[in-house]
Amino acid sequence: MKKSVLTRYRVMALATAVMLLVLCTCMIFKYGFGMGADLTFVVSQAHGVLFMVYLVFAFDLSSKARWSFGKMLWVMLSGTIPLAAFFVERKIRAEVEPLVNGSLTAAAKA
């Protein structure tokens, strides 16, 4: 597996997680204090686009790492739970890095 597959997933997981936290903050201001409706709309649209790209990259990683459907679904859904994506990304990185390093070592030997 190429290292770029893991890198793309990691970047999108972190970007999606940060945008979800920003969106949650905007929603608190919008519904709790009645301000920031325009900003909330822009942030929600940006998060939606980032989340769709995240889903594509998570699916790509899951197919190349040959995960089960349940694991793939959990990784994809972690982008919808505030703070969960940070922890899931760290766990996935730890699991997938040996696969990446193993393929790089095998390619270097050939």
XYZ file of all heavy atoms in Angstrom:
850
model
N 0.857 -1.172 0.000
C 0.000 0.000 0.000
C 0.903 1.236 0.000
O 1.918 1.275 0.680
C -0.878 -0.021 1.249
C -1.764 1.182 1.351
S -2.691 1.350 2.896
C -3.114 -0.298 3.316
N 0.507 2.226 -0.745
C 1.274 3.469 -0.816
C 1.038 4.317 0.429
O -0.047 4.320 1.002
C 0.867 4.275 -2.041
C 1.253 3.639 -3.350
C 0.877 4.544 -4.493
C 1.242 3.917 -5.811
N 0.872 4.771 -6.930
N 2.073 5.039 0.797
C 1.976 5.913 1.965
C 0.984 7.047 1.727
O 0.348 7.546 2.655
C 3.356 6.478 2.295
C 3.395 7.243 3.574
C 4.788 7.662 3.943
C 4.743 8.387 5.274
N 6.064 8.693 5.768
N 0.819 7.445 0.470
C -0.090 8.555 0.157
C -1.538 8.230 0.516
O -2.307 9.128 0.847
C 0.019 8.928 -1.318
O -0.381 7.852 -2.141
N -1.915 6.958 0.458
C -3.284 6.570 0.821
C -3.538 6.884 2.293
O -4.567 7.461 2.646
C -3.518 5.070 0.525
C -4.875 4.626 1.008
C -3.358 4.787 -0.957
N -2.587 6.527 3.138
C -2.730 6.814 4.568
C -2.651 8.310 4.834
O -3.420 8.840 5.641
C -1.643 6.081 5.363
C -1.644 6.301 6.872
C -2.971 5.862 7.490
C -0.482 5.575 7.511
N -1.764 9.002 4.149
C -1.619 10.447 4.349
C -2.893 11.184 3.970
O -3.341 12.073 4.703
C -0.430 10.979 3.533
O 0.748 10.267 3.931
C -0.235 12.460 3.762
N -3.486 10.824 2.836
C -4.745 11.475 2.424
C -5.833 11.256 3.462
O -6.571 12.170 3.818
C -5.220 10.924 1.069
C -4.430 11.385 -0.089
C -5.086 10.960 -1.375
N -5.396 9.525 -1.362
C -5.143 8.698 -2.359
N -4.567 9.141 -3.447
N -5.456 7.432 -2.276
N -5.931 10.016 3.948
C -6.937 9.728 4.965
C -6.692 10.561 6.228
O -7.617 11.141 6.781
C -6.936 8.230 5.324
C -7.659 7.966 6.614
C -9.056 7.977 6.655
C -6.973 7.769 7.803
C -9.730 7.785 7.846
C -7.638 7.575 8.991
C -9.014 7.587 9.008
O -9.674 7.406 10.188
N -5.443 10.612 6.680
C -5.126 11.333 7.911
C -5.447 12.819 7.788
O -6.027 13.411 8.705
C -3.662 11.146 8.273
C -3.338 9.736 8.726
C -1.920 9.618 9.197
N -1.784 10.407 10.415
C -0.647 10.934 10.817
N 0.446 10.775 10.108
N -0.596 11.623 11.933
N -5.076 13.423 6.670
C -5.341 14.852 6.471
C -6.843 15.117 6.483
O -7.320 16.036 7.148
C -4.692 15.348 5.159
C -5.207 16.725 4.778
C -3.175 15.354 5.288
N -7.595 14.292 5.775
C -9.039 14.517 5.721
C -9.714 14.200 7.054
O -10.678 14.858 7.438
C -9.669 13.699 4.591
C -9.338 14.236 3.218
S -9.609 16.017 3.037
C -11.325 16.170 3.413
N -9.227 13.206 7.777
C -9.804 12.895 9.087
C -9.614 14.066 10.043
O -10.556 14.462 10.740
C -9.168 11.630 9.651
N -8.427 14.621 10.051
C -8.173 15.750 10.947
C -8.922 17.001 10.502
O -9.481 17.718 11.337
C -6.672 16.014 11.035
C -5.873 14.882 11.699
C -4.386 15.174 11.628
C -6.319 14.659 13.123
N -8.961 17.261 9.209
C -9.695 18.435 8.711
C -11.187 18.302 9.011
O -11.835 19.271 9.446
C -9.463 18.611 7.216
N -11.735 17.124 8.811
C -13.147 16.900 9.080
C -13.445 17.041 10.572
O -14.457 17.625 10.965
C -13.573 15.503 8.587
O -13.289 15.404 7.195
C -15.039 15.256 8.809
N -12.564 16.516 11.411
C -12.767 16.605 12.861
C -12.716 18.051 13.337
O -13.550 18.464 14.152
C -11.714 15.774 13.583
N -11.773 18.813 12.828
C -11.678 20.223 13.218
C -12.915 20.987 12.749
O -13.501 21.779 13.505
C -10.381 20.856 12.669
C -10.398 22.366 12.810
C -9.166 20.262 13.374
N -13.331 20.755 11.515
C -14.515 21.451 11.003
C -15.772 21.055 11.774
O -16.665 21.878 11.967
C -14.704 21.176 9.511
C -13.748 21.947 8.638
S -13.867 23.740 8.854
C -15.467 24.053 8.166
N -15.840 19.814 12.234
C -16.998 19.400 13.026
C -17.025 20.131 14.365
O -18.090 20.550 14.828
C -16.993 17.884 13.245
C -18.194 17.314 13.993
C -19.499 17.655 13.283
C -18.043 15.810 14.139
N -15.859 20.318 14.965
C -15.809 21.078 16.218
C -16.190 22.540 15.996
O -16.910 23.135 16.807
C -14.422 20.981 16.842
C -14.047 19.616 17.396
C -12.614 19.631 17.912
C -15.005 19.188 18.490
N -15.725 23.119 14.891
C -16.091 24.500 14.553
C -17.598 24.586 14.311
O -18.266 25.522 14.767
C -15.288 24.999 13.337
C -15.800 26.346 12.851
C -13.806 25.084 13.675
N -18.143 23.600 13.612
C -19.576 23.584 13.344
C -20.376 23.480 14.647
O -21.384 24.172 14.810
C -19.934 22.431 12.401
C -21.414 22.260 12.075
C -21.972 23.514 11.407
C -21.624 21.035 11.204
N -19.939 22.636 15.564
C -20.636 22.510 16.847
C -20.618 23.844 17.606
O -21.633 24.246 18.193
C -20.005 21.410 17.696
S -20.335 19.756 17.077
N -19.479 24.523 17.576
C -19.382 25.830 18.227
C -20.329 26.833 17.577
O -21.028 27.585 18.270
C -17.930 26.342 18.159
O -17.070 25.367 18.757
C -17.784 27.665 18.879
N -20.365 26.829 16.254
C -21.279 27.744 15.538
C -22.736 27.436 15.864
O -23.542 28.361 16.021
C -21.051 27.633 14.030
S -19.517 28.362 13.466
N -23.067 26.165 15.975
C -24.450 25.790 16.294
C -24.833 26.256 17.704
O -25.965 26.678 17.928
C -24.615 24.271 16.182
C -24.337 23.724 14.811
S -25.684 23.856 13.683
C -26.708 22.549 14.202
N -23.888 26.177 18.624
C -24.163 26.661 19.985
C -24.455 28.158 19.953
O -25.403 28.632 20.592
C -22.980 26.334 20.918
C -22.924 24.832 21.164
C -23.092 27.107 22.233
C -21.669 24.356 21.857
N -23.650 28.899 19.201
C -23.885 30.342 19.109
C -25.186 30.646 18.372
O -25.916 31.567 18.755
C -22.706 31.041 18.424
C -21.581 31.346 19.358
C -20.480 30.511 19.439
C -21.633 32.461 20.185
C -19.454 30.776 20.317
C -20.601 32.741 21.065
C -19.507 31.894 21.137
N -25.491 29.880 17.336
C -26.706 30.143 16.563
C -27.958 29.862 17.385
O -28.868 30.693 17.453
C -26.719 29.286 15.294
C -27.972 29.475 14.460
C -27.968 28.610 13.221
C -29.265 28.779 12.457
N -29.321 27.899 11.291
N -28.030 28.690 17.990
C -29.252 28.308 18.691
C -29.257 28.733 20.163
O -30.325 28.913 20.743
C -29.479 26.797 18.574
C -29.783 26.392 17.156
C -28.859 25.663 16.415
C -30.971 26.765 16.549
C -29.122 25.309 15.106
C -31.246 26.421 15.239
C -30.316 25.687 14.525
O -30.577 25.347 13.229
N -28.089 28.895 20.754
C -28.038 29.286 22.162
C -28.095 30.782 22.371
O -28.686 31.268 23.336
N -27.481 31.523 21.441
C -27.391 32.968 21.614
C -28.034 33.753 20.479
O -28.040 34.981 20.504
C -25.920 33.392 21.759
C -25.216 32.686 22.884
C -24.237 31.752 22.627
C -25.552 32.960 24.210
C -23.589 31.092 23.660
C -24.906 32.302 25.248
C -23.924 31.367 24.971
N -28.546 33.063 19.474
C -29.242 33.728 18.378
C -28.347 34.569 17.483
O -28.796 35.559 16.927
N -27.096 34.178 17.342
C -26.192 34.952 16.484
C -25.322 34.011 15.656
O -25.122 32.853 16.005
C -25.296 35.866 17.331
C -24.578 35.169 18.450
S -23.956 36.270 19.706
C -22.295 36.508 19.186
N -24.855 34.514 14.518
C -23.951 33.736 13.680
C -24.616 32.777 12.721
O -24.011 31.785 12.332
N -25.842 33.059 12.324
C -26.551 32.148 11.419
C -25.849 32.037 10.069
O -25.768 30.937 9.502
C -27.990 32.612 11.224
N -25.346 33.151 9.546
C -24.663 33.121 8.245
C -23.365 32.317 8.322
O -23.053 31.527 7.434
C -24.363 34.537 7.752
C -25.624 35.319 7.438
O -26.659 34.665 7.148
O -25.585 36.561 7.494
N -22.613 32.512 9.378
C -21.366 31.767 9.550
C -21.652 30.278 9.723
O -20.931 29.436 9.168
C -20.583 32.294 10.753
C -19.254 31.594 11.040
C -18.292 31.756 9.873
C -18.649 32.125 12.318
N -22.692 29.948 10.456
C -23.071 28.549 10.647
C -23.403 27.898 9.321
O -23.014 26.751 9.069
C -24.269 28.440 11.612
O -23.921 29.056 12.846
C -24.650 26.993 11.851
N -24.089 28.614 8.455
C -24.425 28.074 7.139
C -23.158 27.784 6.337
O -23.020 26.710 5.744
C -25.329 29.059 6.373
C -25.657 28.587 4.990
C -26.579 27.574 4.797
C -25.034 29.140 3.890
C -26.878 27.129 3.515
C -25.320 28.704 2.615
C -26.251 27.689 2.424
N -22.224 28.717 6.317
C -20.981 28.537 5.547
C -20.165 27.379 6.111
O -19.663 26.534 5.358
C -20.157 29.844 5.547
C -18.779 29.627 4.951
C -20.900 30.937 4.806
N -20.048 27.315 7.421
C -19.266 26.248 8.052
C -19.921 24.891 7.812
O -19.237 23.903 7.546
C -19.081 26.528 9.563
C -18.486 25.333 10.279
C -18.206 27.748 9.758
N -21.244 24.840 7.873
C -21.928 23.559 7.644
C -21.736 23.079 6.211
O -21.547 21.877 5.976
C -23.417 23.666 7.971
O -24.077 24.527 7.066
N -21.749 23.996 5.260
C -21.510 23.613 3.866
C -20.081 23.122 3.665
O -19.848 22.116 2.982
C -21.800 24.799 2.935
C -23.232 25.268 2.956
C -24.189 24.199 2.505
O -24.015 23.613 1.460
N -25.193 23.933 3.311
N -19.128 23.822 4.262
C -17.718 23.417 4.145
C -17.503 22.054 4.794
O -16.811 21.190 4.234
C -16.817 24.465 4.782
N -18.097 21.848 5.952
C -17.960 20.551 6.620
C -18.584 19.445 5.776
O -18.036 18.339 5.689
C -18.599 20.578 8.005
C -18.649 19.224 8.640
N -17.518 18.553 9.057
C -19.684 18.393 8.899
C -17.866 17.375 9.547
N -19.177 17.262 9.463
N -19.709 19.716 5.161
C -20.363 18.714 4.320
C -19.484 18.276 3.158
O -19.369 17.083 2.863
N -18.851 19.227 2.513
C -17.967 18.904 1.384
C -16.752 18.119 1.886
O -16.375 17.098 1.298
C -17.527 20.191 0.648
C -16.419 19.905 -0.350
C -18.722 20.830 -0.041
N -16.146 18.589 2.975
C -14.993 17.879 3.532
C -15.368 16.462 3.968
O -14.588 15.523 3.780
C -14.410 18.647 4.713
C -13.629 19.909 4.384
C -13.219 20.621 5.669
C -12.416 19.601 3.544
N -16.546 16.301 4.525
C -16.972 14.979 4.981
C -17.148 14.026 3.802
O -16.798 12.849 3.888
C -18.255 15.068 5.795
C -18.668 13.751 6.394
C -17.920 13.186 7.404
C -19.781 13.087 5.932
C -18.284 11.960 7.958
C -20.156 11.874 6.470
C -19.410 11.305 7.488
N -17.666 14.522 2.689
C -17.813 13.661 1.512
C -16.453 13.209 0.982
O -16.268 12.044 0.626
C -18.620 14.372 0.420
C -20.091 14.474 0.745
S -21.072 15.116 -0.605
C -20.737 16.857 -0.476
N -15.489 14.123 0.969
C -14.136 13.761 0.538
C -13.525 12.773 1.535
O -12.863 11.805 1.148
C -13.255 15.019 0.377
C -11.820 14.657 0.065
C -13.824 15.931 -0.699
N -13.760 12.999 2.820
C -13.286 12.080 3.860
C -13.840 10.679 3.637
O -13.106 9.680 3.762
C -13.693 12.610 5.242
C -13.561 11.606 6.355
C -12.310 11.291 6.880
C -14.677 10.975 6.889
C -12.185 10.371 7.906
C -14.559 10.055 7.912
C -13.316 9.746 8.413
O -13.196 8.838 9.421
N -15.114 10.574 3.305
C -15.720 9.260 3.063
C -15.044 8.543 1.901
O -14.797 7.335 1.971
C -17.219 9.405 2.800
C -18.082 9.803 3.980
C -19.534 9.970 3.533
C -17.977 8.803 5.108
N -14.736 9.271 0.851
C -14.062 8.666 -0.304
C -12.687 8.146 0.100
O -12.310 7.010 -0.219
C -13.958 9.681 -1.464
C -13.044 9.165 -2.566
C -15.341 10.009 -2.009
N -11.921 8.948 0.835
C -10.573 8.538 1.235
C -10.610 7.411 2.262
O -9.749 6.529 2.256
C -9.771 9.726 1.755
C -9.360 10.690 0.676
C -9.047 11.987 0.993
C -9.288 10.308 -0.645
C -8.663 12.889 0.010
C -8.905 11.193 -1.641
C -8.591 12.490 -1.309
N -11.590 7.422 3.161
C -11.730 6.338 4.135
C -12.090 5.034 3.428
O -11.567 3.968 3.770
C -12.787 6.687 5.179
N -12.952 5.119 2.427
C -13.300 3.921 1.655
C -12.088 3.407 0.888
O -11.848 2.195 0.831
C -14.452 4.216 0.685
C -14.815 3.030 -0.152
C -15.577 2.003 0.387
C -14.381 2.922 -1.462
C -15.903 0.892 -0.379
C -14.699 1.826 -2.234
C -15.463 0.806 -1.685
N -11.316 4.306 0.304
C -10.112 3.911 -0.423
C -9.132 3.197 0.508
O -8.602 2.132 0.171
C -9.461 5.146 -1.052
C -8.259 4.810 -1.904
O -8.293 3.786 -2.629
O -7.272 5.573 -1.865
N -8.914 3.763 1.678
C -8.013 3.137 2.645
C -8.550 1.780 3.098
O -7.799 0.806 3.191
C -7.809 4.051 3.851
C -6.900 3.511 4.956
C -5.477 3.360 4.446
C -6.939 4.425 6.155
N -9.845 1.715 3.364
C -10.425 0.458 3.843
C -10.347 -0.643 2.794
O -10.108 -1.800 3.125
C -11.869 0.662 4.286
O -12.706 0.907 3.175
N -10.518 -0.290 1.533
C -10.426 -1.315 0.493
C -8.991 -1.791 0.309
O -8.747 -2.972 0.084
C -11.003 -0.797 -0.821
O -10.223 0.275 -1.314
N -8.030 -0.896 0.446
C -6.630 -1.287 0.282
C -6.100 -2.022 1.511
O -5.212 -2.857 1.396
C -5.782 -0.072 -0.041
C -6.110 0.428 -1.435
C -5.241 1.559 -1.888
C -5.569 1.810 -3.348
N -5.796 3.151 -3.678
N -6.644 -1.712 2.691
C -6.228 -2.407 3.912
C -7.044 -3.677 4.149
O -6.771 -4.413 5.089
C -6.351 -1.472 5.108
N -8.070 -3.885 3.335
C -8.938 -5.070 3.393
C -9.624 -5.223 4.752
O -9.567 -6.258 5.393
C -8.156 -6.324 3.038
C -7.661 -6.283 1.626
C -6.991 -7.543 1.239
N -6.593 -7.435 -0.168
C -5.651 -8.139 -0.697
N -4.993 -9.031 0.014
N -5.340 -7.988 -1.973
N -10.271 -4.120 5.161
C -11.020 -4.140 6.406
C -12.369 -4.799 6.207
O -12.906 -4.836 5.101
C -11.278 -2.719 6.906
C -10.063 -1.979 7.338
C -8.858 -2.489 7.689
C -9.948 -0.562 7.459
N -8.001 -1.480 8.027
C -8.636 -0.289 7.894
C -10.809 0.496 7.250
C -8.177 0.995 8.129
C -10.366 1.765 7.483
C -9.056 2.023 7.922
N -12.960 -5.229 7.308
C -14.326 -5.739 7.263
C -15.287 -4.566 7.060
O -14.923 -3.404 7.270
C -14.663 -6.462 8.568
O -14.705 -5.538 9.642
N -16.510 -4.896 6.674
C -17.504 -3.850 6.457
C -17.781 -3.083 7.741
O -17.937 -1.852 7.725
C -18.806 -4.457 5.907
C -19.871 -3.440 5.674
C -19.812 -2.582 4.594
C -20.940 -3.324 6.560
C -20.791 -1.629 4.378
C -21.928 -2.374 6.355
C -21.852 -1.530 5.268
N -17.844 -3.775 8.866
C -18.119 -3.123 10.138
C -17.036 -2.126 10.527
O -17.335 -1.030 10.999
N -15.790 -2.502 10.324
C -14.690 -1.587 10.651
C -14.718 -0.375 9.733
O -14.518 0.754 10.165
C -13.351 -2.307 10.542
C -12.195 -1.445 10.948
C -10.917 -2.248 10.999
C -9.781 -1.384 11.477
N -8.565 -2.148 11.690
N -14.958 -0.608 8.443
C -15.042 0.503 7.489
C -16.173 1.454 7.895
O -15.997 2.669 7.898
C -15.291 -0.013 6.074
C -15.451 1.095 5.049
S -15.983 0.510 3.439
C -17.653 0.006 3.771
N -17.306 0.904 8.263
C -18.447 1.721 8.654
C -18.132 2.526 9.914
O -18.466 3.714 9.997
C -19.671 0.835 8.883
C -20.995 1.535 9.092
C -21.357 2.355 7.859
C -22.074 0.514 9.382
N -17.459 1.908 10.895
C -17.101 2.626 12.111
C -16.170 3.790 11.808
O -16.330 4.881 12.338
C -16.466 1.685 13.130
C -15.844 2.424 14.273
C -14.535 2.460 14.597
C -16.507 3.289 15.207
N -14.335 3.283 15.689
C -15.532 3.800 16.076
C -17.825 3.680 15.394
C -15.831 4.670 17.116
C -18.118 4.551 16.427
C -17.143 5.030 17.277
N -15.180 3.569 10.952
C -14.239 4.637 10.603
C -14.978 5.767 9.898
O -14.733 6.948 10.160
C -13.083 4.080 9.741
C -12.236 5.196 9.166
C -12.219 3.143 10.570
N -15.880 5.426 9.008
C -16.636 6.458 8.290
C -17.551 7.243 9.235
O -17.655 8.460 9.125
C -17.434 5.840 7.159
C -16.589 5.359 6.023
S -17.613 4.663 4.732
C -16.443 4.520 3.414
N -18.198 6.551 10.149
C -19.110 7.226 11.075
C -18.382 8.032 12.138
O -18.966 8.927 12.739
C -20.035 6.214 11.743
C -21.122 5.631 10.851
C -21.916 4.576 11.599
C -22.040 6.719 10.329
N -17.119 7.750 12.364
C -16.379 8.505 13.368
C -16.252 9.977 12.987
O -16.036 10.819 13.856
C -14.996 7.902 13.594
O -14.155 8.150 12.496
N -16.414 10.286 11.716
C -16.377 11.676 11.276
C -17.621 12.458 11.636
O -17.677 13.663 11.431
N -18.620 11.775 12.181
C -19.851 12.461 12.570
C -19.958 12.686 14.071
O -20.891 13.335 14.523
C -21.095 11.665 12.118
O -21.112 10.410 12.810
C -21.083 11.433 10.620
N -19.010 12.140 14.838
C -19.039 12.252 16.288
C -17.921 13.205 16.716
O -16.748 12.923 16.454
C -18.840 10.876 16.955
C -19.892 9.893 16.447
C -18.878 11.000 18.474
C -19.606 8.454 16.809
N -18.270 14.321 17.340
C -17.221 15.264 17.749
C -16.162 14.581 18.619
O -16.484 13.804 19.506
C -17.976 16.328 18.541
C -19.370 16.268 18.017
C -19.607 14.819 17.677
N -14.925 14.847 18.325
C -13.730 14.327 18.994
C -13.408 12.869 18.665
O -12.270 12.446 18.842
C -13.801 14.499 20.514
C -13.892 15.936 21.023
C -14.064 15.937 22.535
C -12.663 16.731 20.637
N -14.358 12.082 18.211
C -14.086 10.666 17.930
C -13.079 10.495 16.805
O -12.238 9.598 16.852
C -15.377 9.937 17.593
N -13.158 11.334 15.793
C -12.269 11.183 14.643
C -10.801 11.339 15.023
O -9.932 10.704 14.423
C -12.634 12.171 13.548
N -10.509 12.153 16.029
C -9.116 12.310 16.471
C -8.576 10.990 17.014
O -7.455 10.592 16.713
C -9.008 13.391 17.551
C -9.269 14.778 17.053
C -10.418 15.451 17.430
C -8.377 15.411 16.207
C -10.671 16.735 16.976
C -8.614 16.696 15.757
C -9.763 17.360 16.141
N -9.376 10.304 17.820
C -8.942 9.049 18.421
C -8.921 7.909 17.401
O -7.996 7.084 17.408
C -9.846 8.692 19.601
C -9.793 9.713 20.702
C -10.837 10.591 20.903
C -8.680 9.806 21.519
C -10.790 11.541 21.905
C -8.613 10.755 22.526
C -9.670 11.625 22.724
N -9.922 7.858 16.537
C -9.978 6.810 15.521
C -8.834 6.981 14.528
O -8.196 6.003 14.131
C -11.350 6.813 14.811
C -11.355 5.869 13.624
C -12.446 6.435 15.802
N -8.528 8.213 14.160
C -7.421 8.458 13.217
C -6.111 7.960 13.801
O -5.310 7.331 13.106
C -7.325 9.957 12.894
C -6.239 10.318 11.902
C -4.888 10.549 12.537
O -4.827 10.993 13.691
O -3.873 10.248 11.874
N -5.887 8.216 15.070
C -4.648 7.768 15.714
C -4.560 6.241 15.725
O -3.516 5.654 15.450
C -4.574 8.298 17.137
C -3.309 7.848 17.857
C -3.223 8.423 19.221
N -2.828 9.820 19.089
C -2.700 10.646 20.105
N -2.956 10.219 21.319
N -2.328 11.879 19.917
N -5.673 5.585 16.026
C -5.694 4.123 16.058
C -5.479 3.541 14.658
O -4.715 2.581 14.488
C -7.030 3.644 16.635
C -7.111 2.164 16.777
C -8.420 1.726 17.371
C -8.421 0.213 17.453
N -9.709 -0.356 17.648
N -6.136 4.115 13.680
C -6.004 3.624 12.305
C -4.572 3.821 11.816
O -4.001 2.940 11.163
C -7.018 4.335 11.380
C -8.442 3.951 11.780
C -6.746 4.044 9.924
C -8.735 2.468 11.728
N -3.985 4.965 12.126
C -2.600 5.206 11.715
C -1.685 4.143 12.294
O -0.823 3.600 11.605
C -2.134 6.590 12.150
C -0.689 6.883 11.749
C -0.181 8.193 12.311
N -0.400 8.376 13.729
C 0.392 7.876 14.686
N 1.436 7.163 14.376
N 0.111 8.117 15.951
N -1.850 3.811 13.560
C -1.016 2.797 14.206
C -1.206 1.421 13.567
O -0.255 0.648 13.464
C -1.331 2.738 15.693
N -2.420 1.129 13.115
C -2.687 -0.169 12.486
C -2.175 -0.246 11.055
O -1.722 -1.298 10.617
C -4.195 -0.444 12.478
C -4.777 -0.777 13.814
C -6.273 -1.018 13.733
O -6.801 -1.188 12.616
O -6.910 -1.029 14.798
N -2.263 0.856 10.325
C -1.962 0.821 8.894
C -0.492 1.101 8.588
O 0.030 0.626 7.583
C -2.894 1.802 8.130
C -2.530 1.903 6.678
C -4.339 1.359 8.285
N 0.204 1.831 9.458
C 1.612 2.141 9.186
C 2.475 0.900 8.966
O 3.322 0.907 8.092
C 2.199 3.028 10.285
C 1.994 4.486 10.001
C 2.707 5.385 11.004
O 3.035 4.919 12.120
O 2.922 6.550 10.663
N 2.292 -0.196 9.723
C 3.086 -1.391 9.411
C 2.825 -1.938 8.009
O 3.733 -2.450 7.362
C 2.664 -2.400 10.480
C 2.174 -1.570 11.612
C 1.561 -0.357 10.976
N 1.586 -1.823 7.535
C 1.282 -2.260 6.169
C 2.014 -1.395 5.148
O 2.542 -1.896 4.156
C -0.227 -2.200 5.902
C -1.124 -3.092 6.736
C -2.586 -2.789 6.439
C -0.814 -4.551 6.472
N 2.035 -0.099 5.403
C 2.712 0.833 4.498
C 4.216 0.577 4.526
O 4.855 0.456 3.485
C 2.397 2.299 4.878
C 3.262 3.261 4.098
C 0.927 2.600 4.662
N 4.774 0.465 5.732
C 6.214 0.239 5.855
C 6.617 -1.120 5.292
O 7.677 -1.252 4.697
C 6.652 0.362 7.314
C 6.509 1.775 7.831
O 6.528 2.730 7.067
N 6.344 1.903 9.141
N 5.755 -2.121 5.456
C 6.036 -3.444 4.902
C 6.066 -3.445 3.389
O 6.917 -4.078 2.767
N 5.157 -2.702 2.786
C 5.141 -2.650 1.319
C 6.306 -1.829 0.793
O 6.854 -2.128 -0.263
C 3.808 -2.093 0.810
O 3.660 -0.735 1.175
N 6.712 -0.786 1.528
C 7.871 -0.003 1.107
C 9.148 -0.831 1.218
O 10.014 -0.770 0.353
C 7.992 1.271 1.945
C 6.909 2.329 1.759
C 7.125 3.490 2.719
C 6.885 2.823 0.340
N 9.257 -1.640 2.272
C 10.426 -2.497 2.438
C 10.476 -3.572 1.355
O 11.528 -3.853 0.803
C 10.404 -3.150 3.834
O 10.293 -2.131 4.817
C 11.646 -3.966 4.085
N 9.316 -4.142 1.052
C 9.264 -5.166 0.003
C 9.612 -4.583 -1.350
O 10.291 -5.222 -2.161
C 7.873 -5.790 -0.029
N 9.177 -3.363 -1.616
C 9.491 -2.719 -2.903
C 10.976 -2.392 -2.995
O 11.576 -2.474 -4.065
C 8.667 -1.444 -3.064
N 11.603 -2.039 -1.861
C 13.021 -1.720 -1.862
C 13.872 -2.969 -2.091
O 14.931 -2.908 -2.705
C 13.411 -1.056 -0.558
N 13.396 -4.125 -1.620
C 14.136 -5.368 -1.793
C 14.060 -5.876 -3.223
O 14.950 -6.581 -3.673
C 13.602 -6.435 -0.846
C 13.954 -6.179 0.599
C 13.401 -7.266 1.478
C 13.707 -6.999 2.946
N 13.138 -8.034 3.814
N 12.988 -5.531 -3.919
C 12.802 -6.051 -5.286
C 13.682 -5.391 -6.300
O 14.410 -4.544 -6.184
C 11.353 -5.867 -5.696
